[in-house]
Amino acid sequence: MSARRRSRSRNAAVRARQGPPPVPARLPWWRRARRSPLAWAAACTGFAILAGRHGMAFPPYLAVLLAGVLCGVSFVALTLRVSPRLGVWLHIAGAAVGAGVVLWLIHGELPDLSALPEPLRHAVLWMQLGVAPMFGWIWLALLGRVSGHFQRDAHTRAAAITRTDWQRDGAAWTLCFPAVPMRTRTLVALIASVTVIAGGLAVAGLITFYDATLRIGAYGAILIFALVVGLPGYLGLTVLLRRGTETVTLRIDAERLTLGRPGQPPRVFALRDLTLFRWQSASDQARLELAAPGVEAVSLLAGVARVPKGTSAELPALPRPLVQWLTEAGLRERPVRVAARPRTFARD
């Protein structure tokens, strides 16, 4: 028997002794629904249909626009979960189908809905308004994906050289990284506020330029205002967030965690006092969250911070000794089904 076959046999025997890999715990359905964009899109659609039947106009209009955006977010997330090649082609196909559907809704002959019952007809009309925002978000994400592809080759080498990484400091680990001190719910509120303001401006524009809207169609007008109003709002929010960037110094040893920020005295947390330690390494959602009884919670968003040119905004993975220290301090890691989710250590 050759050396390669003997090596394969030994590996197979080791895997057989280890048994099957552990199956991650399945979260309750209400937790999965709370984190699902499609569930929130269904809730917004239901609100729009019910409110529209009671004579309301503006709130259900914003709700159905938000539902369309959430459906687009869910589709883009799906393309990121599959293999990269399949995800790109799936994204392109979705964008192409979206362009065809929007053009047909603008210039094509729409089906006659008069034969449908009135509640169902109103529901279909409300859902048609969410088509343009959904495919508009898919197109914006595709443009970002294409531009990111061309930028990635130019910055990969520089990002690999200047990537933030942990440093050994005696028996401790130290990390310096740029971050914006802000809670995640505050960021979500800011994004929602920009969305509502952009939607209000779009409605005002549709009313002001009513004659032009009739000539180009409602869906074409929505796409135009998404670029004219939505894109500047996104860029303005990005600039606002990056202005709050600070350089944070994190030091962790077997007993305590020390957090240093410019102009403030270092904050020291005993690991045994922590009730929450959340670490997200993904570039766009990279963050650190800490919580302990009797002190103000800490939330540092690294994914939205301003970083030097050629530097990745990703946070490095947690070193194995650090994970062991957190576990020995009584924190239990919550299982996740998707690798892109943050690593969360919480006290039972």
Side-chain angles (χ1 to χ4, degrees):
M1 183 182 294
S2 64
R4 180 178 297 180
R5 290 185 177 179
R6 287 197 299 270
S7 176
R8 290 180 178 175
S9 300
R10 285 195 299 268
N11 293 338
V14 171
R15 287 194 295 269
R17 287 195 300 268
Q18 291 177 346
V23 179
R26 185 175 179 84
L27 295 176
W29 67 267
W30 58 270
R31 282 193 177 181
R32 298 198 303 271
R34 188 180 61 182
R35 300 176 181 178
S36 172
L38 286 180
W40 287 104
C44 291
T45 304
F47 168 78
I49 295 173
L50 294 177
R53 292 178 59 184
H54 289 80
M56 301 176 66
F58 186 67
Y61 177 78
L62 290 181
V64 80
L65 291 183
L66 182 58
V69 171
L70 290 172
C71 289
V73 169
S74 180
F75 177 82
V76 173
L78 172 64
T79 64
L80 296 175
R81 285 197 296 267
V82 298
S83 63
R85 184 181 297 272
L86 176 60
V88 169
W89 285 110
L90 186 63
H91 203 156
I92 293 174
V97 171
V101 170
V102 172
L103 288 176
W104 174 69
L105 290 175
I106 295 174
H107 302 290
E109 183 177 352
L110 299 180
D112 186 13
L113 303 178
S114 58
L116 297 177
E118 184 175 357
L120 183 58
R121 184 169 67 252
H122 287 171
V124 172
L125 292 175
W126 278 115
M127 286 188 289
Q128 284 181 357
L129 290 176
V131 171
M134 177 179 68
F135 290 116
W137 184 270
I138 293 175
W139 267 99
L140 287 176
L142 180 61
L143 293 176
R145 199 167 192 165
V146 171
S147 63
H149 172 75
F150 287 106
Q151 293 176 0
R152 195 177 302 118
D153 293 337
H155 295 307
T156 296
R157 184 172 300 175
I161 296 174
T162 58
R163 185 183 300 273
T164 304
D165 203 357
W166 293 94
Q167 301 294 330
R168 287 299 300 266
D169 183 10
W173 291 85
T174 303
L175 178 67
C176 295
F177 61 95
V180 177
M182 179 182 296
R183 297 180 67 87
T184 306
R185 65 182 61 179
T186 304
L187 177 61
V188 173
L190 287 174
I191 295 175
S193 300
V194 171
T195 303
V196 172
I197 293 174
L201 292 176
V203 172
L206 290 174
I207 296 174
T208 304
F209 302 100
Y210 179 74
D211 295 335
T213 301
L214 292 179
R215 288 194 295 269
I216 65 175
Y219 297 102
I222 290 174
L223 288 177
I224 291 175
F225 281 106
L227 295 176
V228 175
V229 179
L231 186 58
Y234 166 77
L235 296 176
L237 179 60
T238 302
V239 172
L240 177 64
L241 292 174
R242 291 182 176 179
R243 288 183 59 184
T245 301
E246 299 179 357
T247 300
V248 180
T249 302
L250 177 65
R251 187 179 186 274
I252 305 178
D253 57 28
E255 299 294 334
R256 63 186 60 84
L257 180 151
T258 305
L259 192 65
R261 291 170 52 186
Q264 298 185 14
R267 299 184 62 181
V268 180
F269 300 85
L271 295 186
R272 62 178 180 275
D273 294 336
L274 291 178
T275 57
L276 175 68
F277 182 94
R278 179 172 289 127
W279 185 266
Q280 173 72 301
S281 300
S283 135
D284 55 341
Q285 300 179 2
R287 68 186 187 273
L288 166 65
E289 296 180 5
L290 301 172
V295 296
E296 183 182 359
V298 175
S299 179
L300 300 171
L301 307 181
V304 298
R306 180 189 292 110
V307 296
K309 186 177 181 180
T311 302
S312 174
E314 288 187 356
L315 292 176
L318 293 174
R320 186 172 300 177
L322 197 153
V323 175
Q324 182 179 356
W325 293 338
L326 293 173
T327 305
E328 292 176 351
L331 296 173
R332 178 177 176 272
E333 184 173 6
R334 295 176 180 173
V336 293
R337 299 180 61 87
V338 182
R341 291 285 186 183
R343 299 189 67 176
T344 302
F345 299 83
R347 198 170 300 277
D348 294 332

